[in-house]
């Protein structure tokens, strides 16, 4: 029994070493391959995990992160890939964004919290899966394979990053909509105030015109009345002549 356990441990070590070799090989891809990796289908959400972008382990030191960032940024820099500068620029921006996220202690901790949560939730899920498999008479589950276990954590990690990004975007959209509504209300209020001011100005001007017109009318009326009174002749009865006898 001990011999079988030893063989199993040897196979695991060999397999783990092979996985590490694959990861090491992938970490030194050519510029074209790195650009393809960073812009592969689903990269919008895949690249939310900065550790995945830089191809580093979450427990890497800040010095290791910086070293990997510099190496990758040089590989995918547009100046180094002038045959495909637009895609190189996109890849470079993804690498730069990942480094900025991990360079900051607070945002790096948030990313580590997400990865830790993904691992914890994966372990809980697999514990339940093992219990179910045991009841069905099975000795193991696919995730007992280190690669599949790591992949399960990777998938859940990506989902958690995606959920967080969706929440961020939803919040940003709500803030933008609220800001837009507020600005529209301000513009409407400004327009109403402007309209009211113009109406008041027009009213004052028209009132003055009405006053001037009325005064002018009164003056004209008085002038006409005076002129008319001058034209009226006063009727005087003729004087009686004395009768001659």
């Amino acid at each position: 029994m001990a011999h079988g356990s030893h063989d199993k441990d040897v196979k695991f070590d060999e397999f783990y070493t092979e996985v590490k070799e694959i990861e090491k090989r992938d970490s030194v891809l050519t510029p074209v391959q790195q650009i393809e990796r960073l812009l592969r289908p689903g990269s919008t959400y895949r690249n939310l995990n900065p550790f995945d972008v830089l191809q580093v382990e979450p427990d890497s030191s800040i010095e290791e992160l910086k070293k990997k960032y510099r190496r990758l940024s040089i590989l995918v820099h547009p100046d180094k890939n002038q045959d495909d500068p637009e895609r190189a620029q996109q890849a470079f921006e993804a690498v730069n964004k990942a480094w900025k996220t991990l360079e900051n202690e607070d945002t790096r901790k948030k990313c580590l919290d997400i990865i830790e949560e993904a691992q914890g939730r994966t372990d809980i899920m697999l514990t339940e899966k093992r219990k179910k498999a045991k009841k069905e008479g099975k000795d193991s589950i696919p995730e007992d394979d280190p690669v599949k276990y790591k992949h399960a954590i990777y998938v859940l990690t990506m989902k958690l990053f995606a959920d967080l990004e969706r929440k961020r975007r939803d919040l940003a959209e709500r803030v933008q909509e609220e800001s837009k509504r507020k600005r529209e209300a301000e513009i409407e209020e400004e327009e109403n105030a402007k309209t009211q001011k113009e109406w008041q100005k027009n009213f004052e001007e028209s009132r003055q015109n009405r006053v001037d017109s009325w005064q002018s009318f009164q003056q004209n009326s008085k002038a006409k009345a005076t002129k008319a009174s001058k034209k009226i002749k006063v009727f005087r009865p003729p004087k009686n002549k004395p009768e001659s006898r």
Side-chain angles (χ1 to χ4, degrees):
M1 190 73 177
H3 180 70
S5 177
H6 175 71
D7 290 342
K8 186 176 181 180
D9 289 341
V10 171
K11 288 181 180 179
F12 175 79
D13 289 340
E14 290 176 352
F15 191 75
Y16 185 75
T17 302
E18 183 181 353
V19 170
K20 282 298 178 183
E21 286 298 324
I22 293 173
E23 291 178 348
K24 184 178 180 181
R25 182 195 65 200
D26 290 345
S27 68
V28 290
L29 295 172
T30 65
V32 173
Q33 289 172 319
Q34 283 290 4
I35 292 172
E36 289 296 329
R37 178 183 71 85
L38 292 166
L39 301 182
R40 64 198 184 280
S43 60
T44 301
Y45 288 104
R46 290 176 185 272
N47 291 346
L48 292 174
N49 183 350
F51 296 104
D52 189 48
V53 172
L54 298 184
Q55 294 182 306
V56 291
E57 293 297 327
D59 58 355
S60 300
S61 66
I62 192 68
E63 289 78 15
E64 291 174 319
L65 296 175
K66 185 183 293 185
K67 184 178 179 181
K68 191 58 183 290
Y69 158 68
R70 287 176 175 172
R71 187 192 308 167
L72 270 177
S73 62
I74 291 172
L75 280 176
V76 302
H77 198 282
D79 291 345
K80 300 290 185 180
N81 298 274
Q82 295 187 5
D83 56 330
D84 194 4
E86 292 184 6
R87 284 169 57 80
Q89 179 65 34
Q90 294 176 37
F92 178 78
E93 289 173 0
V95 171
N96 192 54
K97 182 180 178 182
W99 164 244
K100 292 296 182 183
T101 301
L102 296 180
E103 180 186 28
N104 182 280
E105 187 176 348
D106 292 334
T107 51
R108 184 171 72 252
K109 185 179 183 305
K110 288 179 181 178
C111 292
L112 288 171
D113 289 342
I114 291 175
I115 293 173
E116 184 179 350
E117 181 183 352
Q119 183 170 351
R121 287 171 61 173
T122 299
D123 289 341
I124 293 172
M125 178 186 69
L126 295 183
T127 298
E128 294 300 317
K129 193 171 181 179
R130 286 190 185 94
K131 288 180 181 179
K132 184 178 178 181
K134 190 175 182 180
K135 289 180 180 179
E136 295 173 352
K138 299 176 182 178
D139 295 331
S140 62
I141 58 175
E143 288 78 9
D144 286 335
D145 181 328
V147 175
K148 291 182 179 179
Y149 171 67
K150 187 174 182 179
H151 180 70
I153 295 176
Y154 171 80
V155 171
L156 186 54
T157 300
M158 188 169 66
K159 182 180 183 302
L160 293 180
F161 271 108
D163 289 343
L164 188 66
E165 177 64 12
R166 278 191 286 267
K167 289 178 182 178
R168 186 195 68 79
R169 290 183 181 183
D170 289 343
L171 178 60
E173 287 179 4
R174 287 197 296 271
V175 171
Q176 186 176 7
E177 285 296 324
E178 182 61 29
S179 178
K180 182 180 177 181
R181 284 195 294 269
K182 185 177 179 181
R183 182 54 189 153
E184 288 175 348
E186 290 175 351
I187 292 174
E188 184 178 359
E189 187 176 347
E190 290 171 0
E191 290 293 333
N192 289 338
K194 183 179 179 181
T195 301
Q196 181 66 22
K197 187 176 180 180
E198 290 178 353
W199 184 89
Q200 188 67 28
K201 180 182 177 182
N202 293 335
F203 177 80
E204 292 295 336
E205 290 177 353
S206 62
R207 182 173 66 175
Q208 187 61 44
N209 290 336
R210 290 194 300 273
V211 170
D212 293 343
S213 297
W214 175 248
Q215 289 177 345
S216 177
F217 172 77
Q218 286 184 319
Q219 289 175 358
N220 290 336
S221 296
K222 288 179 180 179
K224 288 180 180 179
T226 302
K227 188 175 180 180
S229 63
K230 288 181 179 181
K231 289 182 178 180
I232 296 175
K233 294 181 179 180
V234 178
F235 175 76
R236 292 189 178 93
K239 293 181 180 180
N240 294 327
K241 295 181 179 181
E243 294 180 0
S244 58
R245 294 183 179 183

